[in-house]
């Protein structure tokens, strides 16, 4: 263990293997929220730790013949409310601490949405773009085999995350099913519709982001159709959010991807941008004004949607943000410092565990449909999602106003209270 880890020990009495900067951020948010959550000390202490953290090594035969071994993880934070649920990522930065932090946030997110799940997160430390499809398939199948004893439809249900997708979930479902001897579609969510995936799952996160923005506008006395919006990130979440905003009459004046952003005061032609970004980076598009990602975040606008990656608003750029409302489609896009600065400036932030929860909510619908072997229509799913998002939003908004909390603190307090109430009722075994 590093000297730095020893110096920062003390959060839990001892420094443990998952005690990394991201986990410390999750613990600090938890500590701040606990001040307002009225949770029994023993229960608060229990929820500070992940229930189970698995470290694995995954041997993979590479295409040119030699074997490479990849470190891999799965962390399950809380099984108090039901099976654990969370994504699998393939990324060079995956670590036990990152998985533990993201698993804890998943617990609060699922509880806030009143889904009968706890949080989990896992992944393989690898460079996904350096692996061929055949290597990725072998990696996924061996990783799944190694996890057989800790995952299951009533224990822990994986989903896609960074660099994993429907195909990855199909390989996981097949590997699990082959070992069981029968088809088990409910072992993963985010899989292809042909093997039990749900309609509207791919659009769910972006659509949910806009459902939350729309509700916030109502509470603020604004008309969504009058708002000028900027969307950072034009991927699975950001592109759907931009289109949904435009469908409701809002003007999308800026969007960006990893290459940079585009800007137009009159509003962007989103259909053209979507066609373009299928093959090419945004920065090569002609006939529009270009901006850098840093400039995009500071454009004059009403609503800024963050749908790219973590740590985008920081203590450095938060003072220059001109938006009147910020919506977190991505996980962790606002640093603790930026959070404080924006709160001081009176700019509300619709927090990630509420705003991007449409994805896990429709994943829950997918699991329920698989267990019941009965499938719903797109309109039914959209209506149920809208009801869930509105209910969670209203609880967060009201708590924030009643207790004078930021929306982030209110969302965390609401999520933590749900889990804590269940653990207080169940008691801590034995
Ligand atoms: P994605 O890979 O489809 O899209 C990410 C977008 O961000 C792409 O347009 C990419 O070009 C852009 N991007 C990458 N680096 C950038 C940078 N430095 N500056 C600006 N843009 C950059 O991923 P996604 O599924 O849309 O996920 C985006 C975020 O939403 C992530 O934080 C993810 O964890 C979170 N999220 C996703 C889901 C989901 O259902 N997909 C659910 C909950 C949360």
């Amino acid at each position: 263990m590093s000297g730095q880890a020893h110096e920062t020990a003390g959060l839990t009495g001892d420094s443990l293997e998952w005690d990394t900067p991201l986990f410390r951020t999750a613990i600090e948010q938890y500590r701040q929220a606990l001040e307002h959550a009225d949770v029994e000390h023993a229960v608060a202490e229990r929820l500070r730790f992940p229930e189970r953290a698995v470290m694995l090594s995954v041997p993979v035969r590479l295409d040119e013949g030699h074997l490479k071994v990849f470190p891999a993880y799965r962390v399950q934070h809380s099984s108090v409310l039901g099976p654990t649920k969370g994504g699998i990522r393939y990324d060079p930065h995956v670590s036990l601490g990152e998985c533990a932090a993201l698993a804890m946030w998943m617990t609060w997110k699922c509880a806030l949405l009143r889904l009968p799940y706890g949080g989990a997160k896992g992944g393989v430390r690898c460079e996904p773009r350096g692996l061929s499809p055949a290597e990725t398939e072998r990696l996924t199948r061996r990783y799944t085999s190694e996890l057989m004893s800790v995952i299951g439809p009533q224990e822990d249900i994986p989903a896609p995350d960074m660099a994993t997708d429907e195909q990855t979930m199909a390989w996981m479902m097949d590997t699990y099913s082959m070992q069981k001897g029968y088809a088990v579609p409910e072992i993963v969510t985010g899989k292809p519709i042909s093997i039990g995936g749900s309609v509207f799952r791919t659009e769910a996160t972006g659509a949910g982001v806009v459902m939350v923005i729309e509700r916030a506008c109502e509470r603020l006395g604004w008309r969504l159709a009058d708002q000028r919006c900027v969307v950072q990130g034009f991927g699975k979440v950001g592109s759907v959010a931009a289109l949904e905003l435009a469908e409701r009459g809002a003007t999308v004046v800026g969007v960006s991807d990893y290459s940079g952003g585009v800007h137009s005061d009159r509003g962007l032609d989103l259909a053209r941008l979507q066609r373009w970004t299928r093959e090419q980076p945004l920065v090569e598009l002609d006939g529009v004004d270009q901006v850098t990602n840093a400039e995009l975040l500071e454009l004059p606008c009403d609503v800024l949607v963050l749908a790219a990656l973590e740590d985008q608003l920081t203590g450095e750029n938060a003072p220059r943000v001109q938006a009147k409302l910020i919506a977190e489609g991505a996980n962790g896009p606002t640093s603790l410092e930026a959070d404080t600065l924006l709160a001081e400036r009176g700019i509300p932030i619709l927090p990630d565990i509420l705003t991007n929860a449409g994805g896990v909510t429709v994943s829950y619908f997918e699991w329920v449909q698989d267990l019941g072997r009965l499938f719903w229509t797109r309109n039914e799913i959209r209506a149920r999602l809208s009801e869930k998002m509105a209910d969670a939003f209203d609880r967060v908004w009201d708590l924030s106003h009643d207790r004078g909390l930021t929306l982030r603190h209110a969302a965390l307090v609401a999520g933590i209270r749900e889990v804590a109430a269940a653990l207080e009722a169940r008691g801590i075994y034995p």
Side-chain angles (χ1 to χ4, degrees):
M1 195 172 290
S2 73
Q4 199 196 354
H6 276 297
E7 279 161 31
T8 50
L11 296 167
T12 57
D14 287 307
S15 175
L16 292 166
E17 287 74 5
W18 48 72
D19 184 18
T20 60
L22 199 67
F23 187 69
R24 269 174 247 144
T25 302
I27 287 288
E28 175 56 18
Q29 288 183 351
Y30 178 59
R31 191 194 62 73
Q32 290 176 9
L34 276 180
E35 290 174 17
H36 307 278
D38 313 314
V39 174
E40 274 177 19
H41 176 75
V43 165
E45 188 59 14
R46 203 297 161 249
L47 294 173
R48 200 183 293 280
F49 292 79
E51 284 179 12
R52 182 191 266 158
V54 185
M55 289 178 66
L56 308 158
S57 54
V58 181
V60 179
R61 180 79 56 196
L62 299 182
D63 291 345
E64 67 263 33
H66 72 273
L67 189 91
K68 188 162 177 184
V69 182
F70 297 90
Y73 309 88
R74 183 72 177 168
V75 177
Q76 298 164 349
H77 173 254
S78 170
S79 62
V80 173
L81 288 166
T84 53
K85 181 101 195 70
I88 302 281
R89 53 173 60 176
Y90 292 169
D91 187 78
H93 304 291
V94 172
S95 69
L96 195 67
E98 181 183 79
C99 292
L102 291 163
M104 182 182 262
W105 283 321
M106 272 303 282
T107 297
W108 314 142
K109 185 187 296 188
C110 293
L112 172 62
L113 270 288
R114 295 194 167 148
L115 309 178
Y117 290 142
K121 204 75 175 194
V124 180
R125 190 183 299 174
C126 62
E127 181 43 82
R129 281 166 292 274
L131 295 170
S132 70
E135 289 166 340
T136 308
E137 177 174 354
R138 289 195 288 276
L139 174 84
T140 303
R141 289 185 179 280
R142 181 62 191 255
Y143 176 58
T144 310
S145 302
E146 297 292 337
L147 287 177
M148 281 301 288
S149 60
V150 296
I151 59 172
Q154 299 300 336
E155 291 164 288
D156 183 15
I157 306 147
D161 196 75
M162 279 162 59
T164 57
D165 57 14
E166 284 193 352
Q167 179 59 73
T168 324
M169 293 304 112
W171 289 326
M172 289 193 89
M173 178 270 186
D174 183 65
T175 304
Y176 188 88
S177 299
M178 293 313 289
Q179 301 215 15
K180 287 287 170 191
Y182 48 89
V184 190
E186 59 273 23
I187 179 60
V188 291
T189 60
K191 59 194 170 289
I193 290 172
S194 59
I195 54 169
S198 179
V199 292
F200 202 61
R201 172 62 188 89
T202 44
E203 302 99 307
T205 308
V209 168
V210 177
M211 289 172 186
V212 170
I213 294 172
E214 189 169 35
R215 202 125 182 125
C217 286
E218 279 169 23
R219 292 295 191 111
L220 290 162
W222 305 350
R223 262 170 35 93
L224 180 52
D226 295 336
Q227 308 308 310
R228 301 170 66 73
C229 308
V230 166
V231 181
Q232 188 202 31
F234 202 63
K236 295 188 283 288
V237 179
S239 65
V240 173
L243 287 167
E244 293 264 337
L245 284 167
E247 262 173 37
R248 285 164 169 78
T251 312
V252 178
V253 295
V255 305
S256 69
D257 68 3
Y258 68 93
S259 67
V262 292
H263 173 233
S264 163
D265 273 334
R266 294 186 310 280
L268 292 160
D269 177 350
L270 296 173
R272 179 175 175 229
L273 295 187
Q274 246 197 342
R275 283 193 303 276
W276 183 268
T277 50
R278 263 181 227 137
E279 304 289 337
Q280 298 123 114
L282 263 180
V283 79
E284 287 171 16
L285 187 71
D286 50 23
V288 282
D289 293 340
Q290 304 284 342
V291 287
T292 65
N293 258 297
E295 290 163 347
L296 182 102
L297 298 174
E298 298 170 22
L299 285 175
C301 65
D302 302 304
V303 182
L304 172 61
V305 181
L306 302 169
L309 66 176
E310 61 283 344
D311 252 339
Q312 294 305 290
L313 296 183
T314 62
E316 197 277 317
N317 62 5
R320 296 190 300 276
V321 166
Q322 300 192 54
K324 293 188 303 191
L325 176 70
I326 293 165
E328 295 185 335
N331 285 314
T334 312
S335 74
L336 286 171
E337 213 183 347
D339 237 2
T340 310
L341 287 167
L342 292 163
E344 281 166 10
R345 293 183 55 203
I347 301 172
I349 302 174
L350 301 171
D352 47 7
I353 65 164
L354 168 68
T355 311
N356 69 29
V360 70
T361 303
V362 176
S363 275
Y364 162 63
F365 296 159
E366 179 177 335
W367 179 72
V368 168
Q369 293 172 84
D370 289 337
L371 287 170
R373 302 290 193 266
L374 181 69
F375 293 88
W376 309 338
T377 64
R378 192 185 157 80
N379 285 346
E380 279 173 300
I381 294 174
R382 197 179 171 109
R384 285 177 199 257
L385 174 65
S386 171
E387 207 177 294
K388 278 280 200 200
M389 299 299 288
D391 171 58
F393 175 89
D394 289 349
R395 281 182 282 115
V396 170
W397 188 271
D398 293 344
L399 184 63
S400 151
H401 283 256
D402 292 350
R403 300 283 294 263
L405 302 173
T406 63
L407 293 167
R408 184 182 318 285
H409 282 140
L412 286 166
V413 168
I416 290 167
R417 276 184 180 168
E418 298 281 333
V419 191
L423 188 51
E424 282 166 19
R426 285 180 60 165
I428 295 173
Y429 183 82

